[in-house]
Amino acid sequence: MTSTSATGLLTHELIRLGGAASDKADAIAQAGALLAAAGCVDPDYAQSMMRREAAANTFLGHGVAIPHGLVEDRAMVRRNGIAILQLPNGVEWNPGQTARLVVAIAAQSDAHLDALRRLTRLLQDEDRLVRLFETDERSEIIAALQDEHQTAAQGASLGDLAVVFDWVVPYPSGLHARPAARWVETVRGFAAQVRVRRNADAGDAKSLISLLQLGLKHGESVVVSATGSDAEAALAALRRVMDGLSVQEQADAAQAAARAAERAPDWSPPGAPAYIAGVAASPGLAIGTLRKVSAVEAEIPDRPVALTEGGAMLDAALSTTRFQLRALADDTARRVGESEAGIFRAQSELLNDTDLITLTCQLMVEGHGPAWAWNAAVDRIAAGLSALGNPVLAARAADLHDVGRRVLTVLEPTLKSDALSGLPDAPTVLVASDLSPSDTAALNVDKVAGLITALGGPTSHTAILARTLGLPAVVAAGSAVLDLADGATVIIDGQAGRLYLEPSEADVISASAWLEAQREVRERESEVRALPAVTRDGRRIEVAANINQAHQAAFALSQGAEGVGLMRTEFLFLEADHSPDEAEQFEAYCAMLDAMGGRPVIVRALDIGGDKQVAHLELPREDNPFLGVRGARLLLRRPELLEPQLRALYRAAAHRPGTLSIMFPMITSVGEVLALKAICARIRAEVGGPETPLGVMIEVPAAALQAESLARHIDFFSVGTNDLTQYVLAIDRQNPDLAAEADALHPAVLRLIHETVKGAEAHGKWVGVCGGLAGDPFGASLLAGLGVQELSMTPREAPAVKARLREALWPDLRELAERALAAESAADVRALERRGA
Ligand code: PEP
Ligand code: MG
């Protein structure tokens, strides 16, 4: 954010009201003369502006053009200034584009950016802009272009808006990016202006960066205020979200503390090797060869393009990045956890920041290429965050750089860094100034044994991801680590926060022995994981994985998954900015079947709607999307989505016979099932596919209650407890206020699962569960007791579920289920666990 003043750039002598111009060249010549007369530029500057017109379009839209000289002619600028030529009758700027306000810019530095920023905002305030085309008051024009500056300058001492409430930050980690992104999302839906103020500092609640700049810490008091027609509603919604998130934030902090307390056994080197001390970020030992990863300092090419083209390129790059981050968040949520996925959801919110986008556009308007402009804008805003000396904000600057680099490589693919590729097969200890969350998430853990960074902190997103990946890591070790030579053998102790240099042979042998002992423990665990989930008296439950992509299969198998119980196909649509065609889908399904090596795979047909929106499908907005056209309802209305998917699936089934099953989401009625079955039969005949088991998800109470009728027509059921709980308890699954009450162990949910099993058994069909309850060891025991035969979960959850089932006796599980069905509340059901179930 620039703090330079717009005052003085635009004076009365630089404004000509009620002017007329015969053509664009005439308008530019007049504007150039105004600038020259005020001593801002050399007389030749108008020619430089004309040369710029030949290379780029300076028409901003809505009747405003902003001619300016070429970058190489900056020497012609004697002082910064902005000249305004008002042309009430307009002049044709380009064919079909009429300029009524010509804003000619002479700038040596970025002094004019405040005025330009105001101008870009004014384009959205058409009424005010139109008044400027006709006004006979120079001061009205000056005010319009300067009051943005004044607002920015007063930002630090802004008062409160009309509707107000006080709040004390209850989040143990303060207002970091994940909850702040939720605040922004909430208020964006309202027209009201919403402000959050702590003492003299105020932030705009619609801008993530502005909120983060406040650096709110746990226990601080703030005043939240709003103005506008829906101010009351906006504040009520925001307050619900602010309060609702505190449960999650406190749980996350407690979990982080518990993880930190889960200390691995200590190790100390028998010799006394020299070490560099940093901050422990992820426990464990790693012995490896040092490899420095230098930050990519590649020169960003500055390739100016026409303004409209640059805008379109930026827009496209932002959408592509949003899709990438959404897919990454989705993937992280399914594999690691919802909290970790929040890292990438918050990064995505940074892409909406108006300051960032405005600044980029301004730099493009000045004549820079989109990649250069974007990079410079990211650098400037991130520098602003880092400069505030708050470690939380410095970490967010790292996120901004990370997401900025993603956009940059979309704009300029030649900048894709391969610093992390081509790592040797030998265990490597990476040394970097800092590592981005994206880089960390993408590390090949077969090659990288540990990480050490000069900067960063233990709460950075990189550290969080290193812990979830099980990579020993030390952060904030200082710049000394960057001077170490590549190729040396080192030992990282991620628990003690040390990097041991030049370890002796005895040190290496001792560390290897420690690692070997850890490996043996893991091996014993994995042997147990590989065993089937058979109760002590011989009842077997299938344990499968919820995975979406073939490359996740190896991990799922290593955790003991015996198949895929739910392959969500939405990711195929979310990842790209178009619907994947039949060929792309065929490839993805075959890859999954191949990766699972003949084990059963259940692919769920596209489940879009509700919480899963795909922008490029441009579905109509619904007031109640969870009760709207989602899942099977959408598939039946959109054959262009359903049919290519079914064709790809039946062709994949032919490719690996006997392993694929197809499942439909959000089924409510027998009629839907019959309609879907008829389409399947037709498509199967068309592509010559084999007979393939067809199942439906039980997610709607109506389907559970009619399970007996549905079971006549299908081969299996899979209960989606996430949605079933939402619909049974009438609790939006995304409402943080009600998260604690949306408990799948509620007896009402369990009774519907019981109905489902009875209905299926009446026709000799089987029931699985692929919602979140299946991955909870106690929930899994209960479901097994209810007669569920297959449980599908996040791969990481499989070992504990298997271990619990292997300890159980079938009659005990049945009794547990009966007691749970008779319980009065979810709490009573949970209490059964403590009583030794
Ligand atoms: C469910 O609803 O439980 C389920 C597994 O489907 P999703 O979470 O994808 O809606
Ligand atoms: Mg569902």
Side-chain angles (χ1 to χ4, degrees):
M1 248 155 277
T2 133
S3 58
T4 36
S5 164
T7 317
L9 284 179
L10 183 56
T11 51
H12 282 243
E13 59 176 338
L14 279 164
I15 301 176
R16 177 173 300 159
L17 298 178
S22 54
D23 57 15
K24 171 162 140 180
D26 182 17
I28 288 180
Q30 291 187 40
L34 278 173
L35 285 169
C40 296
V41 294
D42 291 346
D44 290 347
Y45 189 69
Q47 286 154 31
S48 178
M49 290 199 280
M50 275 312 287
R51 285 199 295 278
R52 154 87 68 202
E53 292 299 314
N57 177 10
T58 62
F59 187 77
L60 268 190
H62 298 264
V64 178
I66 45 164
H68 45 287
L70 292 167
V71 180
E72 57 264 35
D73 292 337
R74 278 206 170 159
M76 292 183 188
V77 178
R78 294 187 201 153
R79 72 172 178 90
N80 298 318
I82 296 175
I84 308 269
L85 183 61
Q86 185 201 49
L87 302 170
N89 293 325
V91 65
E92 181 169 70
W93 205 256
N94 294 308
Q97 294 178 331
T98 302
R100 294 200 157 78
L101 208 60
V102 176
V103 181
I105 299 164
Q108 287 167 323
S109 62
D110 60 2
H112 60 298
L113 286 185
D114 277 338
L116 249 186
R117 178 194 320 229
R118 182 64 199 151
L119 203 51
T120 45
R121 302 241 165 118
L122 266 180
L123 295 183
Q124 285 147 36
D125 186 352
E126 197 130 6
D127 292 345
R128 189 165 185 194
L129 191 58
V130 167
R131 282 202 303 278
L132 300 186
F133 297 162
E134 314 245 290
T135 181
D136 47 14
E137 295 284 344
R138 288 185 168 81
S139 51
E140 190 173 353
I141 294 188
I142 295 180
L145 290 182
Q146 282 182 353
D147 65 8
E148 172 71 5
H149 158 69
Q150 281 156 7
T151 311
Q154 288 163 359
S157 57
L158 283 173
D160 300 324
L161 305 169
V163 192
V164 176
F165 71 84
D166 295 319
W167 197 69
V168 175
V169 183
Y171 309 156
S173 314
L175 180 64
H176 58 99
R178 277 172 282 156
R182 292 288 311 277
W183 293 16
V184 173
E185 258 170 47
T186 309
V187 293
R188 281 249 169 92
F190 295 90
Q193 185 189 351
V194 184
R195 182 174 295 162
V196 178
R197 180 177 66 76
R198 183 204 39 212
N199 302 327
D201 298 326
D204 172 2
K206 290 187 175 173
S207 155
L208 181 59
I209 291 179
S210 170
L211 280 181
L212 291 177
Q213 275 173 336
L214 292 173
L216 295 180
K217 299 198 194 72
H218 180 241
E220 286 187 328
S221 300
V222 293
V223 180
V224 185
S225 62
T227 182
S229 55
D230 55 1
E232 302 262 0
L235 283 198
L238 178 59
R239 184 164 199 156
R240 266 200 308 279
V241 168
M242 289 164 91
D243 290 338
L245 283 170
S246 72
V247 176
Q248 184 64 40
E249 285 298 304
Q250 279 154 11
D252 283 355
Q255 200 182 24
R259 273 201 203 137
E262 261 174 34
R263 288 171 67 89
D266 286 335
W267 174 81
S268 46
Y275 64 85
I276 294 179
V279 175
S282 172
L285 283 190
I287 312 169
T289 313
L290 209 71
R291 162 91 177 236
K292 240 178 307 178
V293 195
S294 327
V296 214
E297 291 297 351
E299 179 88 6
I300 314 295
D302 193 357
R303 281 194 266 272
V305 294
L307 207 54
T308 39
E309 191 187 329
M313 282 170 71
L314 180 66
D315 202 40
L318 291 172
S319 326
T320 306
T321 307
R322 267 187 212 107
F323 282 122
Q324 284 177 356
L325 287 172
R326 204 145 147 191
L328 188 59
D330 228 40
D331 186 40
T332 310
R334 313 292 190 212
R335 277 189 314 142
V336 186
E338 197 48 57
S339 273
E340 286 80 1
I343 295 173
F344 299 107
R345 299 219 163 92
Q347 281 198 351
S348 189
E349 189 55 52
L350 289 172
L351 296 177
N352 299 331
D353 194 79
T354 39
D355 281 330
L356 184 59
I357 292 167
T358 312
L359 187 51
T360 309
C361 293
Q362 289 159 353
L363 291 166
M364 287 198 288
V365 165
E366 277 181 43
H368 295 288
W372 192 97
W374 169 259
N375 190 56
V378 167
D379 277 354
R380 242 184 255 178
I381 290 186
L385 287 171
S386 307
L388 297 170
N390 173 329
V392 177
L393 295 188
R396 295 308 74 90
D399 277 311
L400 183 57
H401 275 300
D402 189 18
V403 76
R405 215 183 49 189
R406 274 182 183 275
V407 177
L408 190 60
T409 53
V410 177
L411 284 168
E412 196 55 66
T414 55
L415 293 173
K416 275 217 170 91
S417 149
D418 55 357
L420 289 171
S421 63
L423 291 176
D425 285 335
T428 300
V429 169
L430 286 186
V431 183
S433 172
D434 207 350
L435 265 191
S436 68
S438 302
D439 280 344
T440 311
L443 284 178
N444 180 343
V445 289
D446 292 337
K447 294 181 175 183
V448 177
L451 305 177
I452 180 151
T453 61
L455 309 171
T459 56
S460 72
H461 288 156
T462 299
I464 293 173
L465 288 165
R467 285 195 286 276
T468 22
L469 289 167
L471 271 182
V474 175
V475 297
S479 57
V481 291
L482 302 175
D483 297 331
L484 299 171
D486 264 8
T489 298
V490 291
I491 299 176
I492 279 197
D493 183 341
Q495 183 142 299
R498 289 178 177 181
L499 174 75
Y500 290 104
L501 308 168
E502 297 179 19
S504 67
E505 204 181 316
D507 295 327
V508 173
I509 290 172
S510 160
S512 307
W514 186 95
L515 285 169
E516 181 56 24
Q518 292 287 302
R519 202 185 54 75
E520 278 171 15
V521 169
R522 278 202 304 275
E523 209 158 82
R524 276 199 300 280
E525 285 171 0
S526 93
E527 274 165 20
V528 176
R529 268 175 226 166
L531 297 172
V534 184
T535 60
R536 282 191 282 144
D537 48 350
R539 169 132 178 140
R540 179 163 184 178
I541 317 290
E542 301 275 338
V543 172
N546 293 351
I547 55 173
N548 307 330
Q549 301 186 53
H551 72 80
Q552 297 161 349
F555 178 69
L557 293 172
S558 78
Q559 299 300 298
E562 296 153 1
V564 172
L566 170 64
M567 175 178 174
R568 293 175 165 101
T569 54
E570 298 82 67
F571 91 94
L572 285 168
F573 289 71
L574 287 171
E575 200 176 47
D577 51 9
H578 63 282
S579 297
D581 62 14
E582 181 185 326
E584 279 172 77
Q585 293 195 51
F586 172 70
E587 216 166 275
Y589 306 142
C590 287
M592 180 63 93
L593 294 175
D594 289 343
M596 289 305 291
R599 293 172 185 81
V601 172
I602 303 178
V603 178
R604 180 175 76 185
L606 193 58
D607 182 18
I608 296 292
D611 59 328
K612 306 180 192 91
Q613 296 293 338
V614 176
H616 60 85
L617 293 182
E618 288 175 4
L619 300 175
R621 217 193 74 79
E622 294 176 311
D623 283 340
N624 284 309
F626 280 116
L627 303 182
V629 180
R630 65 167 294 205
R633 298 173 188 168
L634 180 72
L635 294 175
L636 285 167
R637 283 168 175 76
R638 298 282 290 256
E640 78 281 13
L641 290 174
L642 176 62
E643 297 198 1
Q645 180 163 42
L646 289 179
R647 292 175 67 84
L649 282 167
Y650 275 107
R651 284 175 50 211
H655 167 78
R656 261 211 188 265
T659 59
L660 177 76
S661 301
I662 300 173
M663 171 159 89
F664 293 101
M666 272 292 293
I667 292 293
T668 318
S669 69
V670 173
E672 284 168 346
V673 170
L674 296 179
L676 287 163
K677 272 185 75 177
I679 300 171
C680 287
R682 169 168 60 77
I683 287 184
R684 183 185 149 216
E686 280 168 19
V687 304
E691 194 154 336
T692 298
L694 293 179
V696 300
M697 289 198 70
I698 301 292
E699 301 183 284
V700 179
L705 293 168
Q706 278 201 297
E708 204 267 331
S709 306
L710 290 169
R712 258 185 228 134
H713 305 287
I714 50 85
D715 300 302
F716 65 93
F717 289 137
S718 186
V719 183
T721 50
N722 310 335
D723 275 314
L724 186 60
T725 306
Q726 130 164 304
Y727 293 122
V728 174
L729 302 181
I731 293 179
D732 176 346
R733 66 193 265 184
Q734 293 180 305
N735 187 329
D737 273 355
L738 297 170
E741 287 154 66
D743 193 335
L745 285 176
H746 194 292
V749 179
L750 301 177
R751 284 189 194 197
L752 286 177
I753 299 176
H754 181 56
E755 284 304 310
T756 306
V757 173
K758 280 197 301 188
E761 282 175 352
H763 296 279
K765 308 293 166 64
W766 62 268
V767 178
V769 173
C770 62
L773 188 60
D776 166 45
F778 174 65
S781 311
L782 240 173
L783 292 169
L786 285 171
V788 166
Q789 293 176 39
E790 179 240 33
L791 298 166
S792 192
M793 62 204 71
T794 302
R796 238 169 242 288
E797 295 169 333
V801 166
K802 277 189 158 180
R804 177 75 72 100
L805 292 172
R806 288 176 59 80
E807 283 165 11
L809 282 170
W810 172 236
D812 292 347
L813 296 180
R814 290 195 71 94
E815 196 191 316
L816 166 67
E818 258 158 48
R819 282 207 258 147
L821 289 173
E824 288 187 357
S825 66
D828 289 349
V829 175
R830 289 192 180 280
L832 296 173
E833 178 174 27
R834 287 192 291 281
R835 277 195 251 128

